[in-house]
Amino acid sequence: MADITIKDATPEQLAMLGDAAFKAGNLGLARGFYGALARAQPGAVGPMVRQGMTHRPNARRPKLLEVLQLLESVPGAQAFVGEGIATWFKNPPFAADAKFMTLAAQDEAIAPSGVFNWHWNLQVMLNAAQQAKAIPGDYVELGVYKGHTTKFLADYLDFATWDRNWWLYDTFEGVPADQRDPGREGMTATVYGESFTFEEVRDRFATYGNIRVIKGRVPDVFAQGSPGRIAFIHIDLNNAAAEIGALDALYDRLSPGGVIVFDDFCWSTSHAQYRAEMAWFQARGLNVFPLPTGQGLFIKPPA
Ligand SMILES: C[S@@+](CC[C@H](N)C(=O)[O-])C[C@H]1O[C@@H](n2cnc3c(N)ncnc32)[C@H](O)[C@@H]1O
């Protein structure tokens, strides 16, 4: 590792040096410059976005850095670039929330591979989970992987102190072969990047007396145990058949005012899920809000 000392560099110079190192593929050096940039501009969005870009990089990342640079060339843009989203002239609530930023950084290592700067998605999840606290019922996550989203939310919300349960379901083996959508036949367990197990996730939540991890296939797994009354569901199963099966099984248990967040609603890779879910809700005269994060947000109307 090179030992480089730079004195009196401006933030612009630090960003330029970091970006050059990043594009050259020297992530360690890029992190060093971005770290100095973050210290020079505490609380600023640009250094945070750059630091996130260096984590678990993929082939798209250098192009996305160019998107960030281009947006930053617009005066006052306050640009943010994450996986599947770029915003400018927006005031991201998370940027001013030290607890949010600390937990998001801490939990990033257990997100599915390719996911970086997931802050807007986590912000939607956090507001939805907070909203549902006023609604009677338990919390549910369908499709857990290593527990990234629920860990972030449970830590932020201090869920251990809540008088309700959070039920987490996963096959821990990827999408079952007979549920894979056309064109997504490769959705095995390895598609998420790293190996993951039921035991690992169970242990991750062991300190929470009110979070249960259940291994099995949605919707059949609900026979092993499931809540009678629900306030909040995060649906992230990466296939239409299981997500529709979950709606059929759980919708009537969702309290009025209860919230569902679909992780994959508007992603271009997940159009089969979108079509099936739109049809399911439209048949009942209901509406899911499509969000630019790729998520879909549903709030159950009063009975
Ligand atoms: C994108 S990952 C979930 C990511 C997770 N929500 C997070 O916050 O990191 C999708 C997960 O759905 C699981 N899955 C897919 N089909 C399933 C089914 N029918 N039943 C249970 N789990 C399933 C996969 O094993 C995978 O772990």
Side-chain angles (χ1 to χ4, degrees), residues 158-170:
D158 202 10
F159 191 78
T161 64
W162 291 26
D163 185 21
R164 56 178 101 194
N165 293 313
W166 205 321
W167 303 68
L168 310 186
Y169 299 93
D170 203 296

Side-chain angles (χ1 to χ4, degrees), residues 120-239:
W120 276 118
N121 295 62
L122 290 176
Q123 185 75 58
V124 168
M125 291 300 304
L126 179 59
N127 285 64
Q130 282 170 325
Q131 162 101 359
K133 191 175 183 184
I135 305 300
D138 281 349
Y139 280 37
V140 175
E141 184 175 53
L142 307 176
V144 180
Y145 182 54
K146 293 186 174 209
H148 171 237
T149 302
T150 299
K151 182 79 171 62
F152 169 82
L153 295 175
D155 287 347
Y156 190 101
L157 298 169
D158 202 10
F159 191 78
T161 64
W162 291 26
D163 185 21
R164 56 178 101 194
N165 293 313
W166 205 321
W167 303 68
L168 310 186
Y169 299 93
D170 203 296
T171 59
F172 297 97
E173 294 171 359
V175 179
D178 64 312
Q179 288 184 337
R180 291 177 198 155
D181 291 327
R184 305 199 86 191
E185 289 77 12
M187 297 297 289
T188 62
T190 56
V191 82
Y192 301 107
E194 292 163 16
S195 63
F196 61 111
T197 63
F198 162 74
E199 290 76 14
E200 165 199 342
V201 178
R202 179 199 58 198
D203 293 351
R204 180 158 291 125
F205 291 102
T207 57
Y208 283 87
N210 55 354
I211 297 183
R212 302 173 177 208
V213 185
I214 303 179
K215 179 176 164 69
R217 164 195 169 111
V218 173
D220 318 63
V221 66
F222 299 138
Q224 291 181 43
S226 55
R229 204 173 195 200
I230 301 171
F232 175 81
I233 315 178
H234 182 214
I235 304 188
D236 189 7
L237 294 163
N238 295 152
N239 77 88

